[in-house]
């Protein structure tokens, strides 16, 4: 999917730091680098303190709501390198989230993983549907059924 965390909006900051600045509160930023802040995690509902560091940065991760591996399996393998890079840095498909939950999700789709915070599931699935539509990615039958089930309850 190309070079990770590019500066795609010409603000001299990479996408990862753009998302941290967007999604954290009480941020401390040095130039473009987010050094610390507080995340109100959409997936768990927990409040997570973020401090940049080789280990502590893993507490808050940037999730591709439609995971890169899922995108690859559902159409991205046929894209140009430029489209893959654009997808990987598309802010509409990125959220700062609880790191362990992001690791648990892995490359899961709506049929295999949903946020434990039930009140966020409508938003989560909506982001997936819009992203898959925007990029022409397909959904499996199980994924479609899960999406329909969640969206019917919104």
């Amino acid at each position: 999917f190309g070079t990770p965390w590019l500066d795609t909006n010409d603000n001299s900051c990479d996408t990862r730091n753009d998302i941290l600045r967007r999604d954290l509160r009480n941020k401390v930023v040095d130039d473009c680098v987010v050094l610390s802040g507080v995340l109100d995690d959409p997936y768990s509902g927990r409040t997570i303190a973020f401090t940049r560091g080789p280990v502590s940065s893993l507490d808050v991760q940037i999730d591709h709501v439609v995971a890169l591996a899922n995108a690859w399996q559902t159409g991205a393998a046929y894209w140009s390198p430029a489209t893959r890079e654009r997808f990987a840095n598309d802010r509409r498909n990125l959220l700062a989230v609880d790191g362990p939950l992001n690791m648990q999700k892995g490359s899961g789709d709506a049929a295999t993983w949903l946020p434990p915070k039930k009140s966020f599931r409508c938003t989560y699935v909506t982001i997936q549907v819009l992203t898959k539509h925007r990029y022409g990615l397909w959904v499996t039958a199980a994924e479609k059924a899960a999406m329909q089930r969640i969206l019917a309850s919104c």
Side-chain angles (χ1 to χ4, degrees):
F1 283 85
T3 305
W5 305 135
L6 295 174
D7 173 18
T8 59
N9 61 356
D10 296 322
N11 68 352
S12 300
C13 302
D14 64 50
T15 302
R16 184 180 193 288
N17 280 290
D18 283 345
I19 299 302
L20 290 171
R21 279 197 333 274
R22 181 192 73 192
D23 293 355
L24 299 180
R25 59 182 169 83
N26 301 334
K27 300 169 282 288
V28 175
V29 180
D30 181 15
D31 198 11
C32 280
V33 178
V34 178
L35 302 175
S36 64
V38 176
L39 174 68
D40 295 316
D41 178 46
Y43 288 178
S44 67
R46 293 180 34 238
T47 300
I48 303 169
F50 169 79
T51 304
R52 181 169 299 280
V55 175
S56 59
S57 287
L58 297 175
D59 294 341
V60 173
Q61 297 178 12
I62 308 302
D63 180 34
H64 291 85
V65 177
V66 173
L68 298 179
N70 178 267
W72 185 264
Q73 295 164 357
T74 60
Y78 303 103
W79 293 347
S80 69
T83 302
R84 286 189 205 120
E85 203 166 72
R86 187 172 68 249
F87 177 84
N89 288 279
D90 188 337
R91 288 159 180 75
R92 297 168 293 185
N93 185 46
L94 298 171
L95 294 172
V97 300
D98 176 279
L101 283 177
N102 187 42
M103 299 302 291
Q104 180 187 82
K105 172 194 168 189
S107 61
D109 61 23
T112 59
W113 191 90
L114 291 168
K117 183 179 174 187
K118 290 183 180 180
S119 64
F120 190 72
R121 288 180 178 178
C122 289
T123 300
Y124 178 81
V125 170
T126 298
I127 293 169
Q128 286 194 336
V129 169
L130 291 172
T131 300
K132 287 202 167 211
H133 176 73
R134 185 179 309 115
Y135 285 92
L137 298 170
W138 59 79
V139 297
T140 65
E143 183 182 14
K144 181 179 178 181
M147 289 173 160
Q148 288 175 324
R149 185 183 75 250
I150 294 298
L151 294 175
S153 69
C154 298

